[in-house]
Amino acid sequence: MSRIPPRARFGLVLLVGLGLLSLIAGRLFPDVLSSTCPLGMDPTRPDRTVCELAFGGLWVSLAVGLAAGALSTLIGLTVAAVARLSGGTGEQLILRAVDAVFALPDVLVVMVLQLAGQSLSDAGQAGGLGPFGLMVASLALVGWAGPARMFRNRLATLEAQEYVTAARALGGGGAHLLRVHLWPALRPFALAVFLSRLPAAILTESTVSFFGIARMEPMSLGRYLGTSYAALIYEGGGRVVLPAWALLVLLVLGASLASQALSATPRRAA
Amino acid sequence: MRAIAQRLARQLVLVPVVAVASYFLMAALPLTTETDAKRQVSKELAASYQRDLGIGEPLGFLRPWEKLFRGERLGTSAQGITGDELLLKLSGSVGVGLMALPLALAWALGFALLRTRWRRGRWAALGDAVPAVAFGTPVFIPALLLAPAVVERGHMLPELCAALVTSVWPGIFLGTLVGDALETELSRDYVRTALGKGLAQGTVLRRHVLPNVWPALLDAVGPVATSLLAGSFAAERVFGLPYFGQLYVLAVLNKQVAVVVVATTTFASLLVFVSLAVEVLRYVVDPRSREATA
């Protein structure tokens, strides 16, 4: 823990704190939250308090972000490893495909994938994926290109190190090098990449849910904001939007700080 | 020039790839009206789905484009679109994006200068907090806060506000990059030499430092243009602007699949056009780019 930079530590504490808070307040003891909420009832859902909806939404957004971030990091890592192992033209082709996916805006592609997924779901062909699974799958299918590029570049840098050259000269194959020599050096970077995907996934989900395209139930922060913005027309409507926004900002701040600090941390020589 | 042509060719490949991929994805959707129990879409919409996508026909993936070029309507009569309407809506969104671009550059320059100043003082933490807050604020939140005051006013005020809220995050992102590049350049020997020879600080910045910072700025303009255009989707929805973003969201919500195919491909083409513009600008502005491609 002492090797973790202060900014990363602050970001991680913020993330874990928000996660625990949303778990305790939004999932384990929602009754306590509903009876003590200082922000009152939600104007569009008079049976629920603003705190219940905001913390419940935080929990859902965090769960979507964690699952989608982990899945897209895993896909990106696999693609990068396959690209490095294939080398030459194979690697160039994979990189062009990665660039093509990377060039498209996340929100637009997630909307199209949600349309496709929901149509399959309506026809009973979604393979058991509910709205949560559909959203995670859509975000992962969009978000893997960035991690793939980052992992591929980091792998290329690591492969130029002397200890890798020595292992290769001693007869180590591609898969062996990757598993035994490169992965330990790649692990902290993978954590940083995962944390960098977390806010991107949460924000994309929020925007798509805000449009009313995703059918997330219980509601995520984005869907909550998307369904309750009519409250702003009335006096004091800010109390509905501002807490959810603040939670979203804190979530992204935590993940961004942790990710930036971890990816910038110089590796200590073994 | 060859390197630029290669880059462009790579970008251009994106357009047919997106056109074909989005067509086959949409054509594979099980939109069915076979039985009442399974009915997910109206009969009119299902008919337009078959008709517009040319399902089962050879070269069916060209059908939406043929219809557009013939001036026919894609989708259902109420929510469909013609080629002229598509261009009009696209020009509206591009207009909002063009209004947002100078605003983003203004944010970028302002934030870069402030960040350079903050770094030396007790406000250093703000250099990290401001980008995080800007990134963590989806476009629709400031748009929601502004919307009640401006939606009914007209006179381009909703468009200007849409451009303003869309420009914040890309501007701060650009500012972070420019700030870092500025700091790196300011610490170089040539700056010390120029200052030592008696040039004013502003002159050194304008004549020596900024020309070296432009390439970093241009590198980021592509992703920034993407986020400006994508951000305008949310802003258009909140401010009720009847442009491309609104069209796209409604097409997805109403399952106007042919419109989705055409709009997705059009958007990808727009991104390719932006990349082309950035490459040309880089060629003009950055002498190192000309030398590298000579």
Side-chain angles (χ1 to χ4, degrees):
Chain A
M1 191 73 179
S2 61
R3 285 176 58 192
I4 298 177
R7 276 197 319 169
R9 208 178 303 163
F10 176 73
L12 287 171
V13 167
L14 193 57
L15 266 184
V16 173
L18 284 170
L20 285 175
L21 198 63
S22 66
L23 176 69
I24 294 167
R27 304 292 291 180
L28 298 180
F29 305 107
D31 299 339
V32 177
L33 196 65
S34 63
S35 58
T36 55
C37 182
L39 298 167
M41 307 307 278
D42 184 85
T44 48
R45 284 169 222 81
D47 57 327
R48 308 286 298 273
T49 62
V50 171
C51 302
E52 269 181 284
L53 291 165
F55 281 101
L58 174 66
W59 173 253
V60 175
S61 288
L62 198 55
V64 168
L66 285 171
L71 199 55
S72 53
T73 305
L74 192 66
I75 297 172
L77 186 59
T78 310
V79 170
V82 170
R84 289 306 294 163
L85 286 173
S86 55
T89 315
E91 184 176 12
Q92 288 306 313
L93 279 175
I94 292 172
L95 288 178
R96 293 292 78 77
V98 169
D99 285 345
V101 176
F102 190 71
L104 293 168
D106 290 6
V107 170
L108 187 124
V109 183
V110 169
M111 282 199 279
V112 173
L113 292 174
Q114 282 288 308
L115 168 62
Q118 284 170 13
S119 299
L120 287 169
S121 183
D122 289 342
Q125 298 171 15
L129 281 181
F132 182 89
L134 268 180
M135 180 52 80
V136 169
S138 308
L139 290 168
L141 283 173
V142 169
W144 60 270
R149 271 162 61 130
M150 290 191 267
F151 282 128
R152 186 260 162 203
N153 292 343
R154 182 53 70 105
L155 278 172
T157 309
L158 287 173
E159 282 173 27
Q161 303 269 323
E162 284 176 359
Y163 72 93
V164 180
T165 313
R168 194 175 278 136
L170 287 169
H176 169 80
L177 284 178
L178 199 62
R179 191 169 47 84
V180 178
H181 297 289
L182 297 173
W183 172 239
L186 205 60
R187 241 177 350 221
F189 185 68
L191 178 63
V193 170
F194 162 64
L195 287 173
S196 75
R197 279 309 305 165
L198 186 61
I202 290 170
L203 289 173
T204 305
E205 185 277 325
S206 297
T207 305
V208 174
S209 294
F210 171 77
F211 288 142
I213 290 168
R215 302 170 185 167
M216 298 288 290
E217 208 52 66
M219 285 192 290
S220 65
L221 280 178
R223 181 139 192 249
Y224 173 45
L225 285 165
T227 54
S228 60
Y229 73 91
L232 280 173
I233 298 166
Y234 308 112
E235 197 177 337
R239 75 184 165 85
V240 178
V241 173
L242 295 179
W245 172 37
L247 289 174
L248 206 56
V249 167
L250 286 175
L251 201 58
V252 173
L253 181 69
S256 301
L257 283 179
S259 163
Q260 281 168 20
L262 285 174
S263 58
T265 308
R267 274 180 38 76
R268 191 186 291 174
Chain B
M1 284 304 279
R2 199 178 155 203
I4 291 183
Q6 275 179 344
R7 278 195 201 181
L8 281 178
R10 274 184 209 157
Q11 292 280 339
L12 280 172
V13 168
L14 185 66
V15 177
V17 167
V18 169
V20 172
S22 57
Y23 172 82
F24 283 107
L25 181 65
M26 291 296 119
L29 294 185
L31 299 185
T32 174
T33 57
E34 281 171 12
T35 65
D36 281 344
K38 277 189 173 179
R39 184 174 295 165
Q40 306 300 339
V41 295
S42 67
K43 277 186 176 168
E44 190 194 4
L45 188 59
S48 80
Y49 172 74
Q50 296 284 337
R51 195 176 56 232
D52 292 344
L53 292 182
I55 290 171
E57 294 176 17
L59 296 179
F61 66 91
L62 292 174
R63 172 60 75 88
W65 300 99
E66 279 175 25
K67 287 193 77 172
L68 272 189
F69 285 118
R70 273 195 243 129
E72 293 173 25
R73 179 169 287 272
L74 279 182
T76 55
S77 55
Q79 293 149 340
I81 192 162
T82 63
D84 290 344
E85 286 167 354
L86 180 75
L87 283 178
L88 200 65
K89 286 176 185 290
L90 188 65
S91 61
S93 283
V94 171
V96 172
L98 286 175
M99 282 159 85
L101 192 60
L103 289 171
L105 290 175
W107 284 111
L109 204 60
F111 181 64
L113 291 172
L114 279 175
R115 195 163 180 255
T116 312
R117 182 170 289 185
W118 286 340
R119 191 155 278 193
R120 295 187 208 115
R122 57 188 167 149
W123 299 101
L126 277 179
D128 290 325
V130 171
V133 172
F135 182 48
T137 305
V139 168
F140 62 80
I141 290 179
L144 287 177
L145 296 173
L146 278 175
V150 299
V151 164
E152 300 291 331
R153 296 219 175 157
H155 303 297
M156 299 293 282
L157 196 60
E159 279 87 350
L160 188 65
C161 288
L164 182 71
V165 296
T166 307
S167 68
V168 177
W169 155 241
I172 299 292
F173 169 67
L174 269 183
T176 310
L177 289 180
V178 173
D180 287 344
L182 205 59
E183 204 168 333
T184 309
E185 291 303 322
L186 285 172
S187 66
R188 291 195 191 278
D189 288 344
Y190 73 86
V191 175
R192 200 166 41 214
T193 308
L195 287 172
K197 284 187 166 186
L199 276 183
Q201 206 161 15
T203 313
V204 174
L205 196 69
R206 200 177 59 251
R207 283 175 56 184
H208 296 288
V209 175
L210 284 182
N212 286 306
V213 172
W214 291 131
L217 190 68
L218 286 175
D219 279 340
V221 165
V224 161
T226 308
S227 62
L228 282 178
L229 289 167
S232 71
F233 277 37
E236 285 173 27
R237 181 101 172 121
V238 176
F239 290 110
L241 300 173
Y243 300 142
F244 191 77
Q246 185 83 302
L247 165 82
Y248 198 92
V249 173
L250 289 177
V252 172
L253 282 171
N254 297 320
K255 296 191 176 178
Q256 301 278 342
V257 284
V259 180
V260 172
V261 171
V262 167
T264 307
T265 311
T266 308
F267 196 84
S269 313
L270 190 64
L271 294 180
V272 170
F273 179 75
V274 170
S275 300
L276 167 70
V278 170
E279 285 298 333
V280 171
L281 199 61
R282 184 203 302 277
Y283 190 77
V284 173
V285 168
D286 185 10
R288 280 172 292 199
S289 162
R290 287 197 293 274
E291 284 161 20
T293 55

